[in-house]
Amino acid sequence: MARPDKVTAVEDITDKFRNSNAAVVTAYTGLTVAQLKELRRSLGENAQYRVVKNTLTKIAANEAGIQLDEHFKGSTAVAFVTGDPVTAAKGLRDFAKENPNLVIKGGVLDGKALTADEIKKLADLESREVLLAKLAGGMKASMAKAAATFQAPLTKFVRTADALRGKVEQGGAGTPAPAEAAE
């Protein structure tokens, strides 16, 4: 019979896996409490860094439909990300550069397992807001180009008509007046 506190812990971790956009599994051996506190702050508001028990976390991950069993060895902590996974990945990568005791083992993003290298590549991406701003800028530029393309024939017609009107007003240099053509 499983102890109630362990059942509750598994349910809690299972919920964390299910409600997260991403989860990154790390080893933290050798980090001080102050360093762990600094790491939690560097991840931002949309990520929660938790030290977990391997056996309970394996069970929880399997219940959530995530296969990360090979990463649950030694000291293990998981960063559960509910916001932008790129921001959390950058926070982990940057902290690991300053503190080599933090080792990224792997993780999961939208149900797909990621290796440590893939998480580092994710950290190299620009944030969601920057990518959306670039997309909006590109769309605005292409719409302005389309508007200019649609407006060009009208502008050309107006210029041609204005030039013909100016020519007619000057005395029609070389073109017969409409009344003379009719005779």
Side-chain angles (χ1 to χ4, degrees):
M1 186 85 172
R3 291 188 1 211
D5 59 330
K6 290 188 178 187
V7 170
T8 304
V10 168
E11 289 173 356
D12 183 43
I13 296 169
T14 302
D15 287 342
K16 293 266 185 226
F17 275 118
R18 287 184 179 147
N19 297 328
S20 299
N21 299 340
V24 180
V25 181
T26 64
Y28 66 92
T29 303
L31 293 177
T32 65
V33 172
Q35 288 172 323
L36 286 173
K37 200 175 205 181
E38 180 185 339
L39 172 59
R40 286 183 173 105
R41 270 190 302 238
S42 72
L43 292 178
E45 298 175 6
N46 297 324
Q48 183 183 28
Y49 190 74
R50 279 184 67 174
V51 174
V52 294
K53 291 189 175 276
N54 289 331
T55 306
L56 299 179
T57 308
K58 277 183 194 179
I59 294 167
N62 288 332
E63 284 183 12
I66 298 169
Q67 297 300 319
L68 294 173
D69 290 351
E70 70 274 6
H71 299 304
F72 298 119
K73 295 178 180 125
S75 63
T76 304
V78 180
F80 295 101
V81 183
T82 55
D84 185 13
V86 174
T87 304
K90 284 182 183 185
L92 287 167
R93 177 201 59 196
D94 295 344
F95 189 85
K97 282 181 184 176
E98 296 174 15
N99 302 285
N101 289 334
L102 180 74
V103 177
I104 298 172
K105 295 180 180 181
V108 63
L109 174 65
D110 293 327
K112 180 186 178 286
L114 299 175
T115 65
D117 290 335
E118 290 172 326
I119 292 171
K120 289 173 185 169
K121 287 178 185 176
L122 180 66
D124 292 336
L125 291 175
E126 293 174 328
S127 71
R128 182 177 187 270
E129 290 77 21
V130 171
L131 292 174
L132 287 174
K134 285 184 175 183
L135 177 65
M139 290 174 68
K140 182 180 177 186
S142 59
M143 282 194 280
K145 187 177 177 182
T149 302
F150 292 135
Q151 192 176 9
L154 180 61
T155 304
K156 187 175 180 182
F157 172 75
V158 169
R159 285 187 196 140
T160 305
D162 193 38
L164 285 174
R165 186 179 44 121
K167 213 174 199 184
V168 169
E169 287 176 358
Q170 288 178 1
T175 57
E180 294 173 356
E183 291 179 29

